[in-house]
Amino acid sequence: MMAAPGRAEAFPSRDHDHGHCIADALLRAEEICARKGARLTRIRRSVLAFVWESHAPVGAYGILERLNAEGGRSAPITVYRALDFLISCGLVHRLASLNAYTGCGVPGQPHGAHFLICTDCGAAAELHDPEIDRAILRGAEEAGFSVKAPVVEVQGQCPGCREGAAG
Ligand SMILES: [Zn+2]
Ligand SMILES: [Zn+2]
Ligand SMILES: [Zn+2]
């Protein structure tokens, strides 16, 4: 079955080359940090790599465990600081409803965080539709509301889980 154009990438297939996603994310992080004159320290780079370990969002303590499994003795504050840095660079989004973090596939361009979250497998896919931002800003303006974080988190079932449920 062919996916509709422009929608194919939202939830990558389960057999896609995820090593490529990770390599790509780290490369873009290096570029963005270089452009900002910020340093992608070893800790920041490791935290970003753990966030990108899959397309399912991860919690800060999950990241801390993975970090320390490699022989480190990092404190939670170290992970939170690295995450704050990565978020400020647009490399990572925080998903409030899950209290978890996920890598951004299009860092370096300002956008709200609009996500489809699978409640079966935990995968999250980012929507890239400027209309959503515009609608939020329009509604906020009419309400005299100043937007800090235009976060949208939609829960449901991803294509892979829907297929599993059907067959
Ligand atoms: Zn991937
Ligand atoms: Zn993003
Ligand atoms: Zn799923």
Side-chain angles (χ1 to χ4, degrees):
M1 192 181 76
M2 286 286 288
R7 287 197 305 163
E9 297 283 313
F11 284 97
S13 69
R14 285 180 183 174
D15 54 4
H16 79 287
D17 178 6
H18 188 61
H20 187 84
C21 300
I22 299 174
D24 214 48
L26 291 174
L27 196 71
R28 274 183 295 194
E30 299 277 6
E31 285 168 6
I32 285 169
C33 287
R35 220 183 301 148
K36 289 171 73 94
R39 244 161 53 77
L40 190 63
T41 58
R42 195 184 51 81
I43 282 280
R44 288 168 174 174
R45 197 188 154 86
S46 302
V47 168
L48 183 63
F50 291 141
V51 167
W52 269 100
E53 218 164 44
S54 79
H55 290 276
V58 286
Y61 277 85
I63 296 168
L64 183 67
E65 268 171 33
R66 296 283 287 104
L67 208 57
N68 287 341
E70 296 192 343
R73 295 174 72 181
S74 299
I77 186 75
T78 310
V79 172
Y80 282 115
R81 280 204 191 116
L83 285 168
D84 281 346
F85 170 82
L86 295 169
I87 290 169
S88 74
C89 291
L91 296 164
V92 165
H93 292 292
R94 178 173 179 271
L95 297 177
S97 66
L98 304 173
N99 192 16
Y101 302 84
T102 190
C104 179
V106 290
Q109 50 198 79
H111 56 276
H114 312 139
F115 280 93
L116 305 175
I117 299 168
C118 179
T119 48
D120 286 11
C121 70
E126 194 169 357
L127 292 171
H128 302 290
D129 185 348
E131 280 299 319
I132 303 172
D133 272 322
R134 277 200 279 275
I136 291 170
L137 290 176
R138 199 166 52 235
E141 202 174 290
E142 280 164 16
F145 183 87
S146 149
V147 174
K148 268 191 215 147
V151 176
V152 176
E153 299 180 11
V154 181
Q155 295 181 342
Q157 209 176 24
C158 77
C161 291
R162 289 179 66 192
E163 237 167 64

